[in-house]
């Protein structure tokens, strides 16, 4: 094998031989890479992978986002986001196999088909990486914060422990779980995470109802100045965008489902997506609306912090968040592992091996842990990442690809719908990072590193 490859590189072999050799090697690599190694997923895998990817800890920030948006705009933006993202997700599921005999197993492959080999990579990969790595960093912070809250609630008399250590404890789980080889092998983790997300969302709104509307509750904007109100509004837009981030892994999830011309993968995939979106609605709307209704503009950036009692219930909810975020981290890390391993094996010619995988994945987990420990401003991070990268990949990149590939008739319903989504997504992308960055700057003034 090695001698043939050396000959091939020196150009001594005939072309056909070289091609079969290459395809054999590429086939081996595809069988090794996490996204394409197994295609035996079921529709319910799609359902709970999508729930785990979607219903992130972002749901706990929705009542706070509502307090910065206000009743009218808040409800409108929540509903619009749900409809638009369901529509763009449907487009991606449809586009997965739009070329007969070919599957776009990764977001950037679809991008390359739409925009060309080089441009497609430049457009999609940086944004997808920002989203996936951004989510992983934010989830490190969330996991650490929820563990800390669990510890402080269960053991209120204990010595206080720094957030840094809780983030490290949370990361230690991923140094083990990251070595599960592919998407289907994390199905159990994903199922547990999906159940947990439903559980802690229910606890969040049910405990709010139990607590009742607070005395002197106010629904006006909290900021003193008009500028502050506007910036907070922008930040809240990013928080809502962050809550719908599942599009970045949807093609990769669909790649694990078997497909034949009679039974294309889009049928089971879409069934899973619909179930997932119903769960998303059941989680998001009650938490956002009831949380804001009960606490008004005094609600914390994480609703569970506003709910101090009953202590055992809040402790349990925080533990559920930790378990859910463990699953979510893995769902978003898998495509990153796939990208890094593809580059290592295809471009840098490393041998596909367990050692390579071990090193790559441990280094990645350590990197996300380090960044999380350095910048744990949770709500500002949500707003910043939410607008900066989630808006394009979730709200309007699928629409642009649809217009390029499907070419709907000018001024038809599909054409109008896509352009409206693109316009709204662009507004979101421009406005929300401004608010998020301002929140980070304000927090950073009083923040001590590694405290």
């Amino acid at each position: 094998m090695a001698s043939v490859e050396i000959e091939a590189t020196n150009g001594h072999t005939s072309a056909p031989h070289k091609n079969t050799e290459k395809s054999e090697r590429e086939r081996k690599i595809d069988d090794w890479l996490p996204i394409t190694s197994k295609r035996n997923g079921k529709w319910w895998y799609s359902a709970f992978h999508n729930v785990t990817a979607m219903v992130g800890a972002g749901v706990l920030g929705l009542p706070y986002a509502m307090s910065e948006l206000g009743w009218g705009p808040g409800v409108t933006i929540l509903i619009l986001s749900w409809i638009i993202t369901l529509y763009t997700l449907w487009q991606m599921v449809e586009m997965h196999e739009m070329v007969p005999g070919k599957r776009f197993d990764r977001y950037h492959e679809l991008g390359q088909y739409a925009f060309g080999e080089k441009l497609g990579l430049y457009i999609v990969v940086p944004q997808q990486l920002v989203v996936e790595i951004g989510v992983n960093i934010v989830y490190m912070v969330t996991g650490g914060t929820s563990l800390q809250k669990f510890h402080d609630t269960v053991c209120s008399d204990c010595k206080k422990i720094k957030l840094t250590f809780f983030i490290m404890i949370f990361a230690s789980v991923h140094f083990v779980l990251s070595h599960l080889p592919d998407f289907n092998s994390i199905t159990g983790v994903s199922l547990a995470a999906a159940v947990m997300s439903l559980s802690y969302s229910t606890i969040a709104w049910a405990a709010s109802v139990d607590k009742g509307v607070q005395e002197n509750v106010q629904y006006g904007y909290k900021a003193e100045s008009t500028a502050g109100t506007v910036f907070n509004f922008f930040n809240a837009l990013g928080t809502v965008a962050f809550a719908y981030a599942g599009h970045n892994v949807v093609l990769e999830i669909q790649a694990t489902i078997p497909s034949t011309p009679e039974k294309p993968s889009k049928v089971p995939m879409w069934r899973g997506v619909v179930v997932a979106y119903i769960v998303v609605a059941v989680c998001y709307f009650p938490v956002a609306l009831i949380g804001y209704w009960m606490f008004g503009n005094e609600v914390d950036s994480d609703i569970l912090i506003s709910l101090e009692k009953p202590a055992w219930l809040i402790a349990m909810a925080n533990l559920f968040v930790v378990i859910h975020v463990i699953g979510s981290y893995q769902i978003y890390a898998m495509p990153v592992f796939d990208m890094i391993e593809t580059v290592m094996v295809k471009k840098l010619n490393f041998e596909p091996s367990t050692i390579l995988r071990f090193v790559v994945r441990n280094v990645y987990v350590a990197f996300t842990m380090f960044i999380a420990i350095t910048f744990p401003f949770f709500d500002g991070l949500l707003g910043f990442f939410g607008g900066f990268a989630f808006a394009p990949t979730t709200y309007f990149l699928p629409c642009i690809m649809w217009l390029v590939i499907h070419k709907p008739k000018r001024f038809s319903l599909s054409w109008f719908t896509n352009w409206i989504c693109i316009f709204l997504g662009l507004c979101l992308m421009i406005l929300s990072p401004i608010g998020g960055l301002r929140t980070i700057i304000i927090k950073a003034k009083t923040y001590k590193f590694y405290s």
Side-chain angles (χ1 to χ4, degrees), residues 287-361:
V287 174
L289 304 178
I290 294 172
Y292 180 43
W293 181 26
M294 297 304 162
F295 295 101
N297 60 18
E298 291 300 314
V299 71
D300 277 287
S301 62
D302 177 341
I303 180 77
L304 294 181
I305 296 171
S306 296
L307 298 161
E308 291 300 323
K309 300 205 165 23
W312 64 270
L313 192 66
I314 304 310
M316 203 162 76
N318 277 290
L319 198 58
F320 289 169
V321 172
V322 173
I323 296 168
H324 171 249
V325 173
I326 288 171
S328 279
Y329 183 98
Q330 289 302 320
I331 291 270
Y332 282 98
M334 202 52 86
V336 183
F337 296 152
D338 184 80
M339 279 190 211
I340 300 171
E341 286 165 16
T342 302
V343 170
M344 299 295 274
V345 174
K346 288 188 174 174
K347 292 270 186 293
L348 304 175
N349 290 325
F350 279 87
E351 275 300 309
S353 67
T354 316
I355 295 171
L356 175 70
R357 192 163 264 176
F358 181 80
V359 174
V360 162
R361 296 186 178 192

Side-chain angles (χ1 to χ4, degrees), residues 50 54 83-95 245-251 254 269-270 272-274 276-277 393-394 398:
N50 274 298
M54 264 311 160
I83 294 167
I84 291 172
T85 54
L86 181 59
Y87 172 66
T88 53
L89 199 56
W90 170 78
Q91 287 180 313
M92 294 195 73
V93 171
E94 286 290 314
M95 289 191 283
H247 296 56
N248 289 281
V249 290
V250 71
L251 292 176
Q254 195 168 343
M269 182 67 189
W270 180 241
V273 168
V274 170
Y277 255 74
T393 51
T394 304

Side-chain angles (χ1 to χ4, degrees), residues 68-69 227-240 383-384 387 427-428 430-436:
E68 293 181 333
L69 295 169
T229 304
V230 172
F231 281 126
N232 287 346
F233 191 93
F234 292 166
N235 187 41
L237 288 177
T239 307
V240 175
F384 184 67
C427 291
L428 197 59
I430 295 161
L431 300 177
S432 54
I434 302 170

Side-chain angles (χ1 to χ4, degrees), residues 198-258:
L198 198 56
S199 309
Y200 70 70
S201 300
T202 309
I203 289 175
W205 68 257
S208 298
V209 169
D210 183 57
K211 204 155 191 185
V213 179
Q214 299 301 292
E215 275 182 54
N216 307 325
V217 69
Q218 290 183 330
Y219 300 111
Y221 294 119
K222 208 169 169 183
E224 255 102 84
S225 63
T226 311
T229 304
V230 172
F231 281 126
N232 287 346
F233 191 93
F234 292 166
N235 187 41
L237 288 177
T239 307
V240 175
F242 187 93
Y244 293 97
H247 296 56
N248 289 281
V249 290
V250 71
L251 292 176
E252 287 81 351
I253 293 169
Q254 195 168 343
T256 65
I257 295 176

Side-chain angles (χ1 to χ4, degrees), residues 95-116:
M95 289 191 283
H96 180 81
E97 287 177 291
M98 59 191 314
V99 177
K102 180 162 175 54
R103 295 180 72 171
F104 297 113
D105 294 322
R106 300 165 179 89
Y107 204 144
H108 66 83
E109 289 175 10
L110 183 61
Q112 285 175 298
Y113 182 75
F115 308 121

